[in-house]
């Protein structure tokens, strides 16, 4: 008899679906603090034309290519994925460093500005007590403005690093789960394949 009666279905391997943590949204950092308004002085002998408080200039960051990193992971190309993630991390680190550089430049300009403002305030004391009070008030407001800028930068950097760390942890968790799912599917396939082979041998022997 050349026919073999065998109804066992062939086992198939089901590849698990890789679900990745959403990439963090990195928005351009802007300062919400408003520089103080230059006071109007009554004494024309006091030159306040140079009173322009330094402004913080935010660096520009080119958007990280999250999608290509995800596609390399989906295509199971760990080397290219690791290289792309490393490139993204380098770009983010550079952006964070540029933010700090901008803060350093801002603080340096503020020190120079405060020194010029103090000279102007000292001169105003000799000319007009009212103008001197206005300049002292302006000086205090400018110091508060400087402190507010530093506070906003610090909060942004802390939130920035927190979001990045959460994404990295989430990404590692996703990949570990995916690796576990693959191993489970392989074990399931091997088990079904063993049953299939055993049933096939029985049918061949019966035939």
């Amino acid at each position: 008899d050349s026919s073999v009666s065998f109804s066992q279905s062939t086992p198939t391997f089901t590849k698990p679906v890789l679900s990745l943590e959403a990439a963090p949204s990195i928005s351009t950092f802007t300062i919400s603090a408003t520089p103080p308004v230059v006071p109007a002085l009554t004494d024309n002998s006091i030159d306040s034309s140079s009173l322009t408080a330094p402004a913080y200039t935010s660096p520009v960051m080119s958007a990280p290519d999250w999608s290509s990193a995800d596609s390399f992971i989906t295509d199971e190309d760990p080397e290219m994925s690791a290289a792309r993630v490393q490139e993204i991390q380098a770009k983010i680190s550079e952006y964070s460093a540029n933010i700090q550089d901008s803060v350093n430049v801002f603080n340096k300009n503020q020190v120079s500005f405060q020194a010029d403002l103090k000279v102007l305030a000292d001169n105003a004391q000799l000319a007009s007590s009212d103008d001197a009070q206005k300049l002292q008030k302006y000086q205090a407001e400018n110091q508060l403005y400087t402190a507010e800028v530093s506070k906003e930068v610090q909060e942004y950097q802390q939130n920035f690093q927190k979001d990045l760390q959460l994404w990295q942890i989430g990404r590692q968790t996703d990949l570990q789960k995916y690796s576990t799912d693959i191993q489970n599917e392989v074990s399931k396939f091997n088990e079904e394949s063993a049953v299939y082979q055993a049933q096939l041998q029985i049918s061949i022997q019966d035939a």
Side-chain angles (χ1 to χ4, degrees):
D1 190 349
S2 60
S3 63
V4 177
S5 177
F6 186 65
S7 60
Q8 184 78 15
S9 60
T10 306
T12 57
F13 176 77
T14 304
K15 183 179 179 180
V17 178
L18 174 61
S19 178
L20 294 174
E21 180 84 8
S25 176
I26 303 175
S27 57
T28 301
F29 174 57
T30 56
I31 292 293
S32 62
T34 305
V37 179
V38 178
L41 304 180
T42 57
D43 195 325
N44 294 330
S45 64
I46 304 174
D47 184 12
S48 61
S49 60
S50 62
L51 284 182
T52 303
Y56 176 84
T57 303
S58 299
V60 179
M61 176 184 182
S62 56
D65 191 0
W66 306 105
S67 59
S68 64
D70 290 346
S71 65
F72 284 130
I73 292 176
T74 305
D75 295 339
E76 299 181 2
D77 191 339
E79 292 183 359
M80 287 299 297
S81 174
R84 187 53 53 87
V85 170
Q86 186 176 6
E87 177 185 333
I88 291 173
Q89 290 175 333
K91 188 176 294 184
I92 291 174
S93 297
E94 180 184 7
Y95 178 58
S96 181
N98 289 339
I99 289 178
Q100 189 58 50
D101 289 342
S102 296
V103 172
N104 294 338
V105 171
F106 171 76
N107 290 335
K108 180 180 178 181
N109 292 337
Q110 276 291 352
V111 170
S112 178
F113 176 75
Q114 287 286 347
D116 294 341
L117 183 58
K118 185 177 184 305
V119 172
L120 197 62
D122 291 342
N123 293 336
Q125 286 181 351
L126 301 176
S128 169
S129 59
D130 184 54
D131 287 346
Q133 290 178 356
K134 290 179 181 178
L135 288 173
Q136 288 174 355
K137 181 175 180 292
Y138 177 69
Q139 192 173 26
E141 290 174 346
N142 187 259
Q143 290 175 343
L144 290 176
Y145 167 68
T146 304
E148 183 63 26
V149 168
S150 299
K151 177 183 177 183
E152 289 187 24
V153 170
Q154 185 178 15
E155 288 179 351
Y156 177 82
Q157 288 181 319
Q158 289 176 347
N159 293 333
F160 180 79
Q161 292 298 328
K162 179 181 178 182
D163 291 343
L164 185 60
Q165 289 174 356
L166 288 175
W167 172 75
Q168 290 174 330
I169 293 173
R171 178 58 59 89
Q172 290 175 351
T173 301
D174 293 338
L175 293 177
Q176 288 173 354
K177 181 180 182 301
Y178 181 63
S179 177
T180 301
D181 291 343
I182 286 181
Q183 189 58 49
N184 290 339
E185 289 297 332
V186 169
S187 298
K188 179 181 177 182
F189 173 79
N190 290 338
E191 182 180 346
E192 292 177 351
S193 181
V195 173
Y196 176 82
Q197 292 291 339
Q199 292 296 331
L200 178 61
Q201 289 299 323
I202 293 174
S203 296
I204 292 176
Q205 290 174 1
D206 290 344

